[in-house]
Amino acid sequence: MFTYELQQAARHAELLREADAQRLVNLARAARRAHRALARRSGDHAPGGQVNTDHDRFVTAA
């Protein structure tokens, strides 16, 4: 009976470590998502940012 309780306590501790690790991953993802959204709103040169639409820069060839 003692080995069963010991195994159960070890499994419980392992599950807690996995949950903490998953929480950390989710936090990092949310921070990255927020950073990208902020960069998009501020107009930085981030992926998905504004596109240069200056079409009058070059004249057409004759």
Side-chain angles (χ1 to χ4, degrees):
M1 192 67 169
F2 179 71
T3 56
Y4 173 75
E5 291 172 1
L6 192 60
Q7 182 182 4
Q8 194 174 15
R11 178 68 179 144
H12 180 71
E14 183 182 346
L15 287 174
L16 287 176
R17 280 191 298 271
E18 287 179 15
D20 284 340
Q22 189 61 42
R23 225 182 333 268
L24 187 62
V25 167
N26 290 341
L27 250 169
R29 282 183 183 154
R32 184 173 183 209
R33 214 175 298 128
H35 184 270
R36 281 193 311 228
L38 181 65
R40 229 178 286 126
R41 272 187 264 129
S42 67
D44 287 347
H45 299 290
Q50 294 180 340
V51 177
N52 186 6
T53 57
D54 190 15
H55 295 293
D56 297 329
R57 198 153 125 203
F58 300 103
V59 291
T60 55

